[in-house]
Amino acid sequence: MEFATTLLIAIGLAMDAFAVSISGGAALREGRIRWALIIGALFGGFQAGMPVLGWLGGATLAGFTEAYAPWIAFLLLALIGGKMIVEVLQGDGEVAPFSAGNAATLILLAVATSIDALAVGVSFAVLDAPILLPAITIGIVTFAFCAGGVLLGGAFGRAAGRKAGIAGGVILVGMGLRILVEHLFN
């Protein structure tokens, strides 16, 4: 597979994680550079690892990824986004899904945004294509997009205040709905 094709696949896969990074970064009040590196590494790592898992599982995972992955992604994103909205509306508006002590949420977000990368790995296995270079490319691109997204979201969050937390939650729920609708109608 040509590198340009791999790069386009990587950019496409990084878009969901990028949107989550922007919405999470918008709710951060401090430590944006630290969180940009953490989120970039976590999301990039999951995005790089999932295609490898899909490639290793090959045809065995094909049925699962086609049938259940969109539902899992929808549920995770809707629950996390809904929780963000509720916390902003009920609390003082200082909710951040990237905040310290929230490792479970971070892992769930990383999994939810990288499930499509699992399906890409299955596709690579079916095509009998190598996976190492594409996985590394996907991870690096996702790292860059997510680190930049946290910083971009942080700039937006300073300007928008409490509304940024609500917008972030709405974005997550909307992403989950988009994934589910695409699955149901395609």
PDB file of all heavy atoms in Angstrom, residues 52-62 122 125:
ATOM      1  N   VAL A  52      -3.262  -3.331  14.742  1.00  0.00           N
ATOM      2  CA  VAL A  52      -2.448  -4.538  14.921  1.00  0.00           C
ATOM      3  C   VAL A  52      -3.302  -5.667  15.469  1.00  0.00           C
ATOM      4  O   VAL A  52      -3.238  -6.805  14.984  1.00  0.00           O
ATOM      5  CB  VAL A  52      -1.231  -4.247  15.833  1.00  0.00           C
ATOM      6  CG1 VAL A  52      -0.478  -5.524  16.152  1.00  0.00           C
ATOM      7  CG2 VAL A  52      -0.312  -3.213  15.189  1.00  0.00           C
ATOM      8  N   LEU A  53      -4.142  -5.359  16.471  1.00  0.00           N
ATOM      9  CA  LEU A  53      -5.054  -6.382  17.003  1.00  0.00           C
ATOM     10  C   LEU A  53      -6.009  -6.885  15.928  1.00  0.00           C
ATOM     11  O   LEU A  53      -6.264  -8.086  15.820  1.00  0.00           O
ATOM     12  CB  LEU A  53      -5.854  -5.825  18.186  1.00  0.00           C
ATOM     13  CG  LEU A  53      -5.107  -5.611  19.485  1.00  0.00           C
ATOM     14  CD1 LEU A  53      -6.020  -4.964  20.521  1.00  0.00           C
ATOM     15  CD2 LEU A  53      -4.545  -6.919  20.008  1.00  0.00           C
ATOM     16  N   GLY A  54      -6.553  -5.956  15.147  1.00  0.00           N
ATOM     17  CA  GLY A  54      -7.445  -6.347  14.058  1.00  0.00           C
ATOM     18  C   GLY A  54      -6.742  -7.202  13.027  1.00  0.00           C
ATOM     19  O   GLY A  54      -7.288  -8.190  12.534  1.00  0.00           O
ATOM     20  N   TRP A  55      -5.513  -6.843  12.704  1.00  0.00           N
ATOM     21  CA  TRP A  55      -4.722  -7.593  11.727  1.00  0.00           C
ATOM     22  C   TRP A  55      -4.426  -8.992  12.255  1.00  0.00           C
ATOM     23  O   TRP A  55      -4.538  -9.973  11.522  1.00  0.00           O
ATOM     24  CB  TRP A  55      -3.437  -6.835  11.446  1.00  0.00           C
ATOM     25  CG  TRP A  55      -2.597  -7.393  10.351  1.00  0.00           C
ATOM     26  CD1 TRP A  55      -2.774  -7.219   9.016  1.00  0.00           C
ATOM     27  CD2 TRP A  55      -1.430  -8.205  10.497  1.00  0.00           C
ATOM     28  NE1 TRP A  55      -1.786  -7.874   8.319  1.00  0.00           N
ATOM     29  CE2 TRP A  55      -0.948  -8.483   9.209  1.00  0.00           C
ATOM     30  CE3 TRP A  55      -0.742  -8.714  11.598  1.00  0.00           C
ATOM     31  CZ2 TRP A  55       0.190  -9.257   9.000  1.00  0.00           C
ATOM     32  CZ3 TRP A  55       0.389  -9.472  11.388  1.00  0.00           C
ATOM     33  CH2 TRP A  55       0.838  -9.735  10.090  1.00  0.00           C
ATOM     34  N   LEU A  56      -4.062  -9.079  13.538  1.00  0.00           N
ATOM     35  CA  LEU A  56      -3.778 -10.386  14.135  1.00  0.00           C
ATOM     36  C   LEU A  56      -5.031 -11.251  14.212  1.00  0.00           C
ATOM     37  O   LEU A  56      -4.976 -12.455  13.995  1.00  0.00           O
ATOM     38  CB  LEU A  56      -3.174 -10.222  15.538  1.00  0.00           C
ATOM     39  CG  LEU A  56      -1.766  -9.637  15.583  1.00  0.00           C
ATOM     40  CD1 LEU A  56      -1.369  -9.332  17.030  1.00  0.00           C
ATOM     41  CD2 LEU A  56      -0.768 -10.570  14.922  1.00  0.00           C
ATOM     42  N   GLY A  57      -6.165 -10.638  14.511  1.00  0.00           N
ATOM     43  CA  GLY A  57      -7.422 -11.375  14.600  1.00  0.00           C
ATOM     44  C   GLY A  57      -8.000 -11.712  13.240  1.00  0.00           C
ATOM     45  O   GLY A  57      -8.728 -12.688  13.099  1.00  0.00           O
ATOM     46  N   GLY A  58      -7.685 -10.877  12.248  1.00  0.00           N
ATOM     47  CA  GLY A  58      -8.126 -11.108  10.873  1.00  0.00           C
ATOM     48  C   GLY A  58      -9.600 -11.383  10.742  1.00  0.00           C
ATOM     49  O   GLY A  58     -10.443 -10.648  11.245  1.00  0.00           O
ATOM     50  N   ALA A  59      -9.912 -12.435  10.076  1.00  0.00           N
ATOM     51  CA  ALA A  59     -11.302 -12.783   9.773  1.00  0.00           C
ATOM     52  C   ALA A  59     -12.111 -13.092  11.028  1.00  0.00           C
ATOM     53  O   ALA A  59     -13.324 -12.889  11.045  1.00  0.00           O
ATOM     54  CB  ALA A  59     -11.337 -13.976   8.818  1.00  0.00           C
ATOM     55  N   THR A  60     -11.460 -13.561  12.087  1.00  0.00           N
ATOM     56  CA  THR A  60     -12.174 -13.878  13.324  1.00  0.00           C
ATOM     57  C   THR A  60     -12.874 -12.652  13.882  1.00  0.00           C
ATOM     58  O   THR A  60     -14.004 -12.731  14.358  1.00  0.00           O
ATOM     59  CB  THR A  60     -11.190 -14.422  14.379  1.00  0.00           C
ATOM     60  OG1 THR A  60     -10.479 -15.521  13.816  1.00  0.00           O
ATOM     61  CG2 THR A  60     -11.900 -14.842  15.635  1.00  0.00           C
ATOM     62  N   LEU A  61     -12.207 -11.480  13.825  1.00  0.00           N
ATOM     63  CA  LEU A  61     -12.784 -10.257  14.366  1.00  0.00           C
ATOM     64  C   LEU A  61     -13.705  -9.536  13.386  1.00  0.00           C
ATOM     65  O   LEU A  61     -14.408  -8.617  13.770  1.00  0.00           O
ATOM     66  CB  LEU A  61     -11.673  -9.296  14.795  1.00  0.00           C
ATOM     67  CG  LEU A  61     -10.860  -9.715  16.015  1.00  0.00           C
ATOM     68  CD1 LEU A  61      -9.742  -8.716  16.252  1.00  0.00           C
ATOM     69  CD2 LEU A  61     -11.737  -9.811  17.238  1.00  0.00           C
ATOM     70  N   ALA A  62     -13.692  -9.950  12.131  1.00  0.00           N
ATOM     71  CA  ALA A  62     -14.471  -9.238  11.119  1.00  0.00           C
ATOM     72  C   ALA A  62     -15.955  -9.182  11.473  1.00  0.00           C
ATOM     73  O   ALA A  62     -16.579  -8.130  11.390  1.00  0.00           O
ATOM     74  CB  ALA A  62     -14.278  -9.870   9.747  1.00  0.00           C
ATOM     75  N   VAL A 122      -8.388  -5.344  10.443  1.00  0.00           N
ATOM     76  CA  VAL A 122      -9.006  -6.531   9.840  1.00  0.00           C
ATOM     77  C   VAL A 122      -8.929  -6.423   8.318  1.00  0.00           C
ATOM     78  O   VAL A 122      -8.595  -7.393   7.630  1.00  0.00           O
ATOM     79  CB  VAL A 122     -10.473  -6.706  10.309  1.00  0.00           C
ATOM     80  CG1 VAL A 122     -11.170  -7.800   9.536  1.00  0.00           C
ATOM     81  CG2 VAL A 122     -10.529  -6.981  11.805  1.00  0.00           C
ATOM     82  N   ALA A 125      -5.558  -7.279   7.074  1.00  0.00           N
ATOM     83  CA  ALA A 125      -5.329  -8.729   7.113  1.00  0.00           C
ATOM     84  C   ALA A 125      -5.987  -9.410   5.921  1.00  0.00           C
ATOM     85  O   ALA A 125      -5.390 -10.283   5.285  1.00  0.00           O
ATOM     86  CB  ALA A 125      -5.860  -9.308   8.417  1.00  0.00           C
TER      87      ALA A 125
END
